[in-house]
Amino acid sequence: MPRYTPAEIEARWQQAWEKDGVFQATRNADKPKYYVLEMFPYPSGRIHMGHVRNYTMGDVIARYKIATGHNVLHPMGWDAFGMPAENAAMAIGGHPADWTYDNIAEMKKQMKPLGLSIDWSREIATCHPGYYGQQQALFLDFLKEGLVYRKNAVVNWDPVDMTVLANEQVENGCGWRSGAPVERRELTQWFFKISDHSEELLSALDSLDNWPAKVKLMQANWIGKSRGLQFAFSTIEAPEGFDRIEVYTTRPDTLLGASFVGISPDHPLAKTLERDDEAVAAFCAECRKGGTTEEAIETAEKLGYDTGIRVRHPFDTAHELPVYIANFILMDYGTGAIFGCPGHDQRDFDFATKYDLPIISTFLPSEDVSPKLSEAYVPQKSEKVFYNRGFAGDQWQTGEQAVDAAIAFCEENGIGQGVTKYRLRDWGLSRQRYWGCPIPVVHCDDCGVVPEKKENLPIELPYDVSFDTPGNPLDRHPTWRNCACPACGKDALRETDTMDTFVDSSWYYARFTAPRADTPTDLEEAAYWMNVDQYIGGIEHAILHLLYARFFARAMQITGLLPESAAEPFDALFTQGMVTHEIYQTRDGNGRPVYHLPEEVTEGKLSDGTEVEIIPSAKMSKSKKNVVDPLQIISNYGADTARWFVLSDSPPERDVEWTASGAEASYKHLSRVWNICDRVSEMDREAPGTGDDDLLRAMHKTIHDVTMGVESFGFNAAIAKLYAFTATLQKSKAGYAAQREAIMTLAQLMSPMTPHLSEDIWAHQGGEGLITKAPWPKADEKMLVDDTVTLPIQINGKRRAEIQVPADMTKEEVEKIALAHEAVIRTLDGATPKKVIVVPGRIVNVVA
RNA sequence: GCGGGCGUGAUGGAAUGGUAGACAUACCAGACUUAAAAUCUGUUGGGGCGUAGCCCCGUGUGGGUUCGAGUCCCACCGCCCGCACCA
């Protein structure tokens, strides 16, 4: 009997697909189109199991859609700009471009053996001038439409290396290379006006029926629409121009509990005071230490500085409040100034306690309770509470009612206005780095900031750059900056900032529809292929990438680069989990952990017999040495085994743990299927069998279940059904015709997951053409329904017995049979049941 | 700190509010074999009793809704993801 030899089979069928050109996508009006896309990879140089899982899922969908008669587009490209290439150049020498292109070549070579249904003729790399030149054209279009502008923004500044740091390069508030404490510094930068589209990006979430609810919720919270009151405190003894301090609050119902006003260290008033007062300057400098992340700001110790300035409470001008500069107030949200109500905000409470400010309640949990002095009272906004300092006298109200009342009251009395605000900030795209898309503008002494002419695109990155000193090599390049002003022709300087790599990934899905077009998109191609029908990627992109891409689709419509129909770029989204692995650890002489690769460990021991501590599953990472190399798996077991395994054990949205025994089991299963195919081939064609009908019924149920599973991303459940059907087939004594039908159907149902093995079985059984192109099997409805059903009988919700009844039996008859069951009679012991619930086809519950 | 998610046997997990543990791993037992590997078959949530059978407990913890809760609601605990210059 021949053995299952994946290496030989897989190479053969990959060649067959290539020769046939089955995955090359062209427009075809006769078939419904289907665009499936996985988030394109960063070319790190090696594929990992996460890639295998991500691309296998997309491949299952793509192959299933081909089989169900769709014209499928399934492209692949490289998110090729970014910091790692520059880091490599700094660490080991070489050039980011060489490093990146070598990595792309290597990863592509590693990806090919997976047998993915990718149209490689559409491959793109964002670092190629053919791509980023079009991105520059797109930027110029955005600029013309007012979708891009310049303003000051804060960056992480390393005072020793004299360079801007990414958040990732800040470790515990210090620069990763210099170790110097990071400061925040302002630079003039380019911004996309995403905030103009806040309402649209928020409300359109409702139309995304095939997106995970959690992603939509995260995006909605990120956009952060709020209704609140904007008003001003009038100041006492403030510097000129600061007669008033504008404040925005979502809790105006607590205004009578205000005990201080806080302003951001970046607030204009703070900056003015800083100029003439060393103490203020020192405090603001202290606040500006540390990174720019919201996390760093929100978790830092709360610090305040009393400016000495006082403001009058708008309702009681005799009531004066101190103005503090406080490090936890963000200039980017609201007006950069707040009023503090320690009674109803824990952060304000902590601040008030620290600086000995009064704590005033405006509402209480009940009329006769006095406020707690140990923590802020912060009930749900929907909860009714007793307002002892409300706007309409003492009364019970929900927070929502009180907020509305407060806004109405303030508007009537000319104190402030109700306004709607969004937390979403404009998207800063400038990066002070080399390995990115150059921003195509020129700075001219006479004309100011001038867009580059489209005929001069692409503005290519110069190759001759050095990475021996920190900072942006474009800044110190001897000639690259020098150019003629596109407006007046005089000597001018190029912008040396490059674009955030999120820009590259915000429109690549559109570029795939016409990857070689000499404009960013080809409207005809885009109109045919867009939107992406199924997008697949990691949950870590739930907010930024997906929000930016949604914004870009709108901006590209405005600039005429996408058709009206493509408002939302991704019709359906699926977020898949990670591939994890156990960590094997021992301790060195000082008790520090030492990690070991999976292949060094057998039965919990190293080769020298040392016991290994096993730490449960964690994300695969080089430093923890718990990485399994897909190439190793493919060479041991074949791609089909790797593909089968990453889909089999866990639901796709959850993490899956890679285990050697699991991989082994997958391989065994595929061998088993192969062996069944072999056995069927050798069967006596004429000999009668038994149980043909049972086998075919099981087959049709499996068709139904697997189809449902694939349609709903229940790959693990679909695979469980395939295991079960394989066992049924293996034991079957049915005749040749039934068994041949069963093994061919099994091969088809497995083909999205294990395409090579399936092709081989198909060919062995004399199937016509490629299984990849064969139409998906259809379940016969008649074969799915059984004549009798098993109904469990519960007494008071506990299962006591079960009965077999005809599927179409009436409720009344079922009830009669159930009550006559000896277990029911025994348990009821003569009592009359209070109630009997019969759910047809499901369950009977007798309430005693 | 803020936002989101997850938690079920020894393990990964299954289960439109309706028989908890499908399927797989691991373990144990058996068949085949001189033996091993491979392959095949079977058992396995915990506890109890008068053991062909029956009973009790059981889905992170505590409460609630329901005839019925792993599933819905509230609180808590633990872990994971994101927080705008990582990709």
Side-chain angles (χ1 to χ4, degrees):
Chain A
M1 187 165 88
R3 281 177 54 92
Y4 172 48
T5 52
E8 181 269 322
I9 292 173
E10 291 178 1
R12 180 147 45 86
W13 291 107
Q14 283 166 23
Q15 278 168 26
W17 298 326
E18 178 124 23
K19 194 174 153 212
D20 185 273
V22 54
F23 306 129
Q24 300 259 331
T26 48
R27 276 189 283 154
N28 176 351
D30 299 337
K31 284 182 175 181
K33 69 92 188 178
Y34 197 89
Y35 182 3
V36 55
L37 183 66
E38 301 96 52
M39 291 178 186
F40 65 165
Y42 179 79
S44 60
R46 290 200 73 77
I47 63 167
H48 53 68
M49 276 299 167
H51 293 124
V52 174
R53 193 168 189 222
N54 190 197
Y55 303 131
T56 302
M57 285 179 196
D59 204 45
V60 169
I61 300 296
R63 288 175 177 275
Y64 171 72
K65 289 294 172 181
I66 292 172
T68 51
H70 294 79
N71 187 27
V72 170
L73 173 59
H74 185 207
M76 180 60 68
W78 310 97
D79 189 13
F81 274 137
M83 291 203 304
E86 287 188 48
N87 294 342
M90 282 188 271
I92 57 171
H95 194 278
D98 299 340
W99 185 85
T100 303
Y101 281 111
D102 287 351
N103 281 352
I104 288 173
E106 181 58 29
M107 277 181 85
K108 191 173 169 184
K109 201 172 86 192
Q110 294 176 13
M111 225 184 253
K112 286 268 182 155
L114 284 169
L116 302 171
S117 61
I118 286 164
D119 180 357
W120 285 104
S121 73
R122 291 175 185 258
E123 181 181 0
I124 55 180
T126 57
C127 65
H128 192 279
Y131 185 85
Y132 73 72
Q134 296 303 330
Q135 185 163 302
Q136 292 168 339
L138 184 147
F139 178 90
L140 294 176
D141 289 347
F142 281 20
L143 190 57
K144 201 184 271 173
E145 282 292 338
L147 291 157
V148 206
Y149 69 103
R150 268 157 56 94
K151 71 167 179 182
N152 282 358
V154 179
V155 293
N156 300 306
W157 181 256
D158 186 320
V160 170
D161 278 353
M162 301 291 279
T163 177
V164 176
L165 297 177
N167 285 336
E168 196 188 45
Q169 297 170 316
V170 178
E171 292 163 359
N172 301 320
C174 298
W176 66 334
R177 284 171 184 280
S178 68
V182 168
E183 296 165 8
R184 294 203 282 271
R185 176 177 275 220
E186 278 197 0
L187 290 181
T188 306
Q189 308 204 58
W190 288 94
F191 282 82
F192 288 118
K193 267 198 168 171
I194 187 171
S195 65
D196 277 2
H197 300 263
S198 298
E199 182 57 43
E200 161 66 10
L201 288 168
L202 177 66
S203 58
L205 287 172
D206 287 340
S207 69
L208 298 175
D209 296 331
N210 294 309
W211 277 44
K214 64 177 168 182
V215 174
K216 290 192 277 187
L217 186 57
M218 280 191 260
Q219 290 219 349
N221 288 337
W222 185 260
I223 295 167
K225 183 178 185 173
S226 66
R227 173 87 180 149
L229 178 75
Q230 186 154 334
F231 68 100
F233 287 102
S234 60
T235 56
I236 305 167
E237 288 167 31
E240 218 183 304
F242 294 98
D243 302 341
R244 295 149 54 82
I245 296 175
E246 283 279 335
V247 167
Y248 173 74
T249 177
T250 58
R251 290 309 297 260
D253 57 320
T254 66
L255 190 47
L256 290 162
S259 67
F260 66 96
V261 167
I263 63 172
S264 164
D266 299 316
H267 192 278
L269 174 56
K271 286 185 171 175
T272 302
L273 295 171
E274 188 174 18
R275 242 175 269 149
D276 305 319
D277 186 329
E278 273 179 35
V280 176
F283 179 78
C284 289
E286 185 64 29
C287 291
R288 287 190 193 106
K289 278 188 186 157
T292 58
T293 68
E294 198 160 298
E295 185 191 5
I297 293 164
E298 294 277 350
T299 53
E301 192 198 350
K302 309 282 173 282
L303 297 175
Y305 180 90
D306 186 349
T307 60
I309 297 170
R310 296 291 177 267
V311 295
R312 292 194 177 89
H313 196 287
F315 292 120
D316 176 8
T317 48
H319 182 190
E320 294 182 3
L321 311 174
V323 177
Y324 277 76
I325 302 170
N327 64 343
F328 58 87
I329 300 169
L330 303 167
M331 191 59 219
D332 288 316
Y333 184 64
T335 60
I338 59 151
F339 76 80
C341 177
H344 303 300
D345 183 292
Q346 190 58 41
R347 194 173 57 179
D348 294 349
F349 183 94
D350 297 341
F351 191 85
T353 309
K354 184 165 179 176
Y355 294 104
D356 205 18
L357 297 163
I359 294 164
I360 308 158
S361 288
T362 65
F363 51 77
L364 298 164
S366 74
E367 293 177 38
D368 49 8
V369 161
S370 48
K372 267 195 208 172
L373 294 175
S374 55
E375 59 179 12
Y377 174 49
V378 193
Q380 302 271 326
K381 245 183 170 176
S382 56
E383 201 176 307
K384 256 196 175 171
V385 293
F386 180 71
Y387 276 81
N388 60 329
R389 289 172 69 84
F391 282 83
D394 295 358
Q395 63 169 307
W396 284 89
Q397 268 184 316
T398 66
E400 285 145 359
Q401 289 167 340
V403 166
D404 290 344
I407 291 173
F409 183 88
C410 291
E411 285 183 339
E412 275 165 34
N413 290 280
I415 286 163
Q417 302 82 44
V419 292
T420 298
K421 280 204 191 291
Y422 300 87
R423 202 182 72 99
L424 180 64
R425 311 202 293 255
D426 277 334
W427 168 14
L429 68 115
S430 300
R431 296 290 181 272
Q432 296 70 41
R433 273 186 277 281
Y434 167 78
W435 194 232
C437 171
I439 296 173
V441 296
V442 170
H443 298 269
C444 171
D445 284 343
D446 293 347
C447 311
V449 179
V450 184
E452 186 53 89
K453 291 177 183 166
K454 273 202 182 168
E455 59 261 36
N456 292 340
L457 301 184
I459 304 302
E460 285 198 45
L461 288 167
Y463 186 83
D464 55 333
V465 284
S466 69
F467 293 89
D468 39 17
T469 48
N472 183 356
L474 294 177
D475 275 338
R476 48 176 195 264
H477 190 279
T479 56
W480 188 78
R481 293 188 77 169
N482 303 321
C483 65
C485 170
C488 69
K490 286 211 302 204
D491 285 353
L493 290 176
R494 268 189 204 299
E495 167 93 38
T496 57
D497 282 357
T498 52
M499 295 187 205
D500 179 7
T501 56
F502 271 122
V503 180
D504 312 341
S505 54
S506 291
W507 70 288
Y508 77 110
Y509 51 86
R511 185 69 183 165
F512 272 135
T513 65
R516 312 288 173 247
D518 52 15
T519 46
T521 56
D522 174 319
L523 272 182
E524 223 177 314
E525 294 286 350
Y528 177 79
W529 289 113
M530 289 297 288
N531 301 334
V532 175
D533 293 277
Q534 182 67 58
Y535 195 37
I536 306 170
I539 186 70
E540 66 275 18
H541 294 294
I543 295 172
L544 291 181
H545 163 60
L546 289 164
L547 192 61
Y548 291 158
R550 294 180 63 221
F551 162 67
F552 252 57
R554 286 166 172 78
M556 289 172 77
Q557 279 187 322
I558 292 167
T559 52
L561 292 168
L562 278 180
E564 287 291 312
S565 54
E568 285 291 341
F570 312 123
D571 276 351
L573 172 71
F574 189 86
T575 54
Q576 101 280 4
M578 294 180 301
V579 182
T580 62
H581 197 282
E582 293 174 331
I583 296 171
Y584 305 115
Q585 177 184 293
T586 54
R587 302 271 175 181
D588 69 7
N590 300 318
R592 278 188 294 262
V594 178
Y595 300 108
H596 303 277
L597 293 168
E599 54 264 33
E600 295 170 31
V601 180
T602 29
E603 291 175 6
K605 285 185 179 138
L606 297 179
S607 55
D608 65 3
T610 315
E611 287 272 353
V612 171
E613 191 185 339
I614 296 175
I615 298 172
S617 216
K619 183 176 184 170
M620 287 190 180
S621 80
K622 263 190 206 163
S623 62
K624 297 281 164 64
K625 289 205 179 179
N626 63 337
V627 177
V628 173
D629 181 5
L631 289 189
Q632 195 62 49
I633 300 302
I634 291 171
S635 79
N636 288 355
Y637 300 111
D640 282 340
T641 293
R643 295 169 57 117
W644 184 263
F645 180 76
V646 293
L647 297 174
S648 65
D649 256 12
S650 281
E653 67 275 15
R654 246 196 264 180
D655 294 349
V656 64
E657 181 180 333
W658 184 274
T659 59
S661 56
E664 187 73 31
S666 297
Y667 180 76
K668 280 183 192 172
H669 174 74
L670 301 191
S671 304
R672 200 173 299 141
V673 174
W674 164 274
N675 291 338
I676 294 172
C677 170
D678 211 54
R679 183 195 76 194
V680 173
S681 300
E682 285 166 17
M683 278 175 76
D684 181 346
R685 306 292 195 256
E686 309 303 327
T690 56
D692 288 28
D693 187 64
D694 289 343
L695 179 63
L696 293 177
R697 273 182 186 275
M699 183 188 86
H700 281 281
K701 277 193 180 134
T702 307
I703 294 173
H704 176 262
D705 292 345
V706 171
T707 305
M708 299 291 283
V710 171
E711 292 259 3
S712 63
F713 274 84
F715 302 134
N716 56 326
I719 283 176
K721 301 289 184 186
L722 288 166
Y723 270 117
F725 180 59
T726 304
T728 304
L729 174 55
Q730 188 159 35
K731 287 175 202 162
S732 173
K733 299 275 183 267
Y736 171 74
Q739 289 212 30
R740 177 173 179 269
E741 192 181 346
I743 186 71
M744 287 181 82
T745 302
L746 177 61
Q748 279 194 285
L749 296 176
M750 288 173 71
S751 69
M753 297 90 158
T754 58
H756 313 87
L757 171 66
S758 292
E759 287 285 6
D760 219 58
I761 292 171
W762 189 255
H764 267 88
Q765 298 298 333
E768 200 179 314
L770 292 169
I771 199 171
T772 299
K773 292 167 133 181
W776 190 253
K778 274 204 169 60
D780 182 347
E781 294 291 328
K782 290 196 292 293
M783 299 290 267
L784 298 180
V785 284
D786 290 318
D787 302 336
T788 60
V789 290
T790 305
L791 290 186
I793 300 175
Q794 294 183 332
I795 296 166
N796 293 329
K798 287 201 162 94
R799 196 188 78 92
R800 293 296 169 198
E802 58 183 41
I803 50 173
Q804 304 272 335
V805 295
D808 55 359
M809 187 177 252
T810 64
K811 273 186 171 189
E812 289 71 25
E813 284 175 293
V814 171
E815 181 173 334
K816 216 195 275 173
I817 292 173
L819 290 178
H821 195 281
E822 61 89 19
V824 177
I825 292 168
R826 176 159 38 84
T827 315
L828 285 179
D829 197 21
T832 321
K834 286 195 190 118
K835 200 170 172 186
V836 181
I837 290 138
V838 179
V839 184
R842 279 284 171 200
I843 205 163
V844 180
N845 192 11
V846 178
V847 187

